[in-house]
Amino acid sequence: MTEPINVVVTGAAGQIAYSLLYQLAAGSVFGPDQPINLHLLDIPMMMDVLQGVVMELQDLALPLLRQVVPTADPAVAFKDAAAAFLVGAMPRKQGMERRDLLSANVKIFKIQGEALDKYARKNVKVLVVGNPANTNALICSHYAPSIPKENFTAMTRLDQNRAQAALATRLGVQVDKVQNVIIWGNHSSTQFPDAFHATVNGKPVPAAVNDDAWLNEVFVETIQKRGAAVIAARKMSSAMSAAKAAGDHMRDWWMGTKPGQWVSMGVLSDGSYEMPKGVVFSFPVTINNGKFEIVQNLPINEFARGKLNATAKELEEERVDAHSVLME
Ligand code: NAX
């Protein structure tokens, strides 16, 4: 009998968690043989709503789901955690400056980093979804010095999935025929969705599309602004697709990538592709035995270099702002 693992979801009463929790309980992320205990963290005023989520989880009647622990206390939530989805964050309210948003979130991710450091397993895998995801992941790992830096990642998988789907639509193929599209940099509108190394049915995407202007302009902008387009239509931000992407990210990290395929994850930069060290930057990675490696030596043309530098600059600015908030 495999022992259950503790899986934390923060923002557990929110809309992304609502779609994510089913995937976790059904075994689509940690596999059909891995029982789980769900530790659900939210803020005190959401505890009533969270009770409703707990009832629904119970009513799923899924055998892999062992215990469900709803709590507003990070010490309880992160106890012996093997995996953590940090979804909860302070949302941007009307009239809020970027710095105010960063300030509120830096404080949340400092507290959660400290709790991970104290209570979680030392090999816990932490996926930050809550925005600004890259910088939140950086802050969180900073406050969890006893956990290796490579155990903290930020989600750009939704952007990758959007890019893959957009290329499949353009080429008129099934979505899984498109592989190895890359998201570079920040999960923000400066991200660079890069189709130049992608393949369709094993052949290069640029040749199949045969329209570099479309790839450089329309495609890039569509993916950068896809989140805003969903909000405009749905009056709420992406949730079903975000939850699916969070599941994809953690499953690949847990189980590994397929031979010849890579995925994009925000990871602490080691200076690969001449990007600044010490920011959480989205790179293409391969994963084996729970460890990722940044794919090396992909040719970067002048156009791509400009895009990479722009998103790196934004991440460096966020890091400066985050540290200045922490100094206050
Ligand atoms: P919701 O507002 O529906 O839910 C957020 C939940 O987090 C709420 O229940 C709230 O009470 C809780 N929360 C706030 N502070 C908390 C704290 N300190 N500890 C625990 N819980 C806390 O938002 P939802 O749509 O679920 O989005 C969650 C986050 O994901 C947002 O920051 C959003 O911007 C971000 N996203 C990130 C994406 C990515 O690709 N990285 C894409 C989707 C999404 O926009």
Side-chain angles (χ1 to χ4, degrees):
M1 279 296 286
T2 313
E3 283 296 305
I5 51 168
N6 292 351
V7 177
V8 184
V9 177
T10 75
Q15 54 155 0
I16 293 177
Y18 192 75
S19 287
L20 175 61
L21 292 172
Y22 172 72
Q23 295 176 57
L24 301 176
S28 12
V29 176
F30 299 102
D33 301 319
Q34 178 60 65
I36 63 169
N37 300 320
L38 280 175
H39 287 198
L40 308 181
L41 182 71
D42 211 295
I43 53 178
M45 66 178 281
M46 295 303 285
M47 286 302 110
D48 287 348
V49 175
L50 195 55
Q51 269 313 326
V53 176
V54 172
M55 285 187 247
E56 283 209 67
L57 282 166
Q58 192 179 1
D59 298 347
L60 291 175
L62 285 167
L64 285 177
L65 183 56
R66 299 296 158 85
Q67 284 175 17
V68 181
V69 181
T71 180
D73 181 356
V76 174
F78 291 107
K79 180 90 185 116
D80 294 329
F85 293 83
L86 305 188
V87 180
M90 177 71 78
R92 192 172 198 148
K93 299 192 186 107
Q94 224 172 1
M96 206 177 193
E97 295 294 329
R98 198 176 81 125
R99 205 185 131 78
D100 297 333
L101 182 75
L102 198 69
S103 164
N105 280 298
V106 158
K107 287 171 193 148
I108 293 174
F109 284 85
K110 174 178 185 224
I111 291 170
Q112 295 186 355
E114 287 167 345
L116 278 157
D117 197 52
K118 240 171 146 173
Y119 303 109
R121 290 191 186 170
K122 296 302 168 203
N123 63 354
V124 61
K125 286 183 161 49
V126 182
L127 164 58
V128 178
V129 175
N131 281 318
N134 298 52
T135 300
N136 287 342
L138 183 70
I139 298 302
C140 197
S141 83
H142 181 77
Y143 284 96
S146 68
I147 298 170
K149 299 275 176 241
E150 59 268 25
N151 291 28
F152 293 82
T153 60
M155 185 167 98
T156 51
R157 185 58 172 265
L158 176 55
D159 307 298
Q160 179 193 312
N161 287 349
R162 287 167 171 164
Q164 188 181 343
L167 291 171
T169 303
R170 163 86 191 201
L171 293 165
V173 299
Q174 198 174 290
V175 70
D176 56 337
K177 305 298 177 204
V178 176
Q179 294 295 335
N180 293 359
V181 59
I182 300 169
I183 304 299
W184 299 97
N186 202 1
H187 168 68
S188 77
S189 58
T190 67
Q191 65 173 267
F192 174 41
D194 179 357
F196 280 89
H197 310 283
T199 58
V200 53
N201 289 317
K203 303 204 173 69
V205 159
V209 171
N210 195 23
D211 185 350
D212 283 1
W214 183 85
L215 283 177
N216 286 344
E217 288 159 33
V218 180
F219 168 71
V220 169
E221 238 185 69
T222 304
I223 304 310
Q224 288 174 335
K225 295 186 177 161
R226 183 69 162 183
V230 170
I231 294 175
R234 216 172 79 87
K235 317 289 177 247
M236 284 197 285
S237 56
S238 311
M240 178 169 53
S241 55
K244 154 70 166 54
D248 287 348
H249 176 124
M250 187 62 86
R251 185 200 59 237
D252 287 347
W253 198 5
W254 204 262
M255 310 277 194
T257 45
K258 297 195 185 103
Q261 289 182 12
W262 57 66
V263 293
S264 294
M265 290 183 5
V267 302
L268 190 72
S269 168
D270 61 354
S272 290
Y273 296 94
E274 297 165 45
M275 291 295 98
K277 286 186 185 170
V279 294
V280 170
F281 193 94
S282 179
F283 287 106
V285 300
T286 54
I287 303 160
N288 256 312
N289 296 325
K291 304 237 177 279
F292 64 80
E293 268 182 50
I294 298 173
V295 177
Q296 298 294 335
N297 300 322
L298 295 171
I300 304 293
N301 64 22
E302 207 180 317
F303 171 80
R305 178 60 59 195
K307 296 281 181 201
L308 261 68
N309 288 344
T311 194
K313 182 166 172 281
E314 183 183 53
L315 282 168
E316 285 186 300
E317 286 166 5
E318 281 187 15
R319 179 177 54 183
V320 169
D321 284 351
H323 282 297
S324 71
V325 167
L326 290 166
M327 296 299 173
E328 280 165 7

